[in-house]
Amino acid sequence: MNITLRVWRQKSRGDEGRMVTYQVEDVSPDMSFLEMLDVLNEKLTLEGHEPVAFDHDCREGICGACGVVINGVAHGPETTTTCQLHMRSFKDGDVIDVEPWRAKAFPVIKDLVVDRGAFDRIIQAGGYISAPTGTAPDAHAMPVPKADADRAFDAATCIGCGACVAACPNASGMLFTAAKVTHLGMLPQGQPERAARVVKMVNQHDEEDFGGCTNIGECAAVCPKGIPLDTISQLNRDLLGALASGDLG
């Protein structure tokens, strides 16, 4: 296939960015989207131009490092990570716009790379449990109902890619925050700090300049790991309970 790319180029956080058009020829439908960007960058490098900066790591849909807005949709037309999106999802002659995540809390570092440190700070605020040292308890010492275990596991699949923020019209990070709160809140080990955890993490979310959640649902629609929207409802219940009890961390 021959593809026309319109890519966001921005030298640094303080510079103004702009869309730049490139032609990429002889693209195999079996290439991943990132491999196609690799081909573009090889071409730019050979021509003496600055390659396009984009984030990636495992390229297996596990780490969440990759992530760009493709034709206005976070991660592109398929519900998957950008690294697992293949060029067979496009057609010969297509014009594809590629932009970084757009959110005040995710400032652009360069081109398609954004600073997602805000997610790390939300986790640092309360995404942990306190466990006593000493001999490890037996595996069956803390029975967990299967429904709770399944709910915790589903929430724990969040990879922190940031697609939820990029898709939300309010640039809210509430689906991410809710996944981290729910993951620990459904397990016995997470109960001692459950109330304080949700208060601290929501406060940090707001301090990072994420927008407020209005339950539009775009976050869940683009989440590559299928985190359900009702995870936010669980966060809200935990938050209201913590505020009512006065346990503010």
Side-chain angles (χ1 to χ4, degrees):
M1 301 185 295
N2 294 326
I3 300 294
T4 299
L5 288 180
R6 297 192 300 195
V7 183
W8 183 260
R9 303 303 307 266
Q10 183 173 340
K11 289 185 177 181
S12 66
R13 184 175 302 188
D15 291 320
E16 288 190 10
R18 62 190 179 95
M19 299 293 280
V20 179
T21 301
Y22 300 103
Q23 302 296 325
V24 186
E25 300 175 349
D26 197 24
V27 175
S28 167
D30 295 326
M31 283 182 179
S32 73
F33 197 86
L34 295 190
E35 287 173 330
M36 183 273 297
L37 291 180
D38 289 336
V39 170
L40 170 62
N41 278 345
E42 183 176 0
K43 176 175 180 287
L44 291 175
T45 300
L46 290 174
E47 293 174 351
H49 301 302
E50 182 80 12
V52 177
F54 63 92
D55 238 338
H56 64 93
D57 192 0
C58 71
R59 298 199 179 204
E60 296 178 348
I62 298 170
C63 69
C66 67
V68 292
V69 175
I70 301 169
N71 287 342
V73 180
H75 287 308
E78 310 292 340
T79 307
T80 185
T81 53
T82 300
C83 63
Q84 294 297 292
L85 176 68
H86 289 82
M87 295 309 296
R88 53 181 167 265
S89 297
F90 304 94
K91 303 187 299 294
D92 181 38
D94 274 356
V95 177
I96 305 174
D97 289 349
V98 190
E99 303 172 79
W101 292 159
R102 300 291 191 185
K104 187 176 181 181
F106 288 164
V108 173
I109 297 174
K110 183 177 182 180
D111 296 339
L112 305 176
V113 180
V114 299
D115 181 356
R116 288 175 293 181
F119 273 3
D120 296 328
R121 292 187 289 274
I122 290 173
I123 294 176
Q124 290 168 359
Y128 54 84
I129 62 171
S130 295
T133 58
T135 304
D138 293 335
H140 64 285
M142 286 189 184
V144 182
K146 186 176 187 305
D148 291 350
D150 288 346
R151 179 77 163 170
F153 184 85
D154 288 345
T157 60
C158 170
I159 56 177
C161 66
C164 51
V165 178
C168 177
N170 305 328
S172 172
M174 199 55 74
L175 188 66
F176 166 83
T177 306
K180 301 307 176 184
V181 166
T182 300
H183 165 211
L184 296 177
M186 297 304 298
L187 299 175
Q189 297 90 338
Q191 299 313 304
E193 291 140 330
R194 184 169 182 171
R197 175 183 303 113
V198 67
V199 172
K200 290 177 179 178
M201 294 182 78
V202 169
N203 284 342
Q204 189 64 41
H205 170 279
D206 294 345
E207 287 181 14
E208 296 292 343
D209 278 332
F210 289 104
C213 174
T214 51
N215 288 315
I216 293 173
E218 290 293 333
C219 53
V222 301
C223 177
K225 298 303 177 181
I227 306 297
L229 188 62
D230 67 354
T231 308
I232 297 176
S233 300
Q234 182 159 342
L235 176 145
N236 288 333
R237 287 194 298 270
D238 280 9
L239 181 61
L240 290 173
L243 296 175
S245 68
D247 188 353
L248 305 181

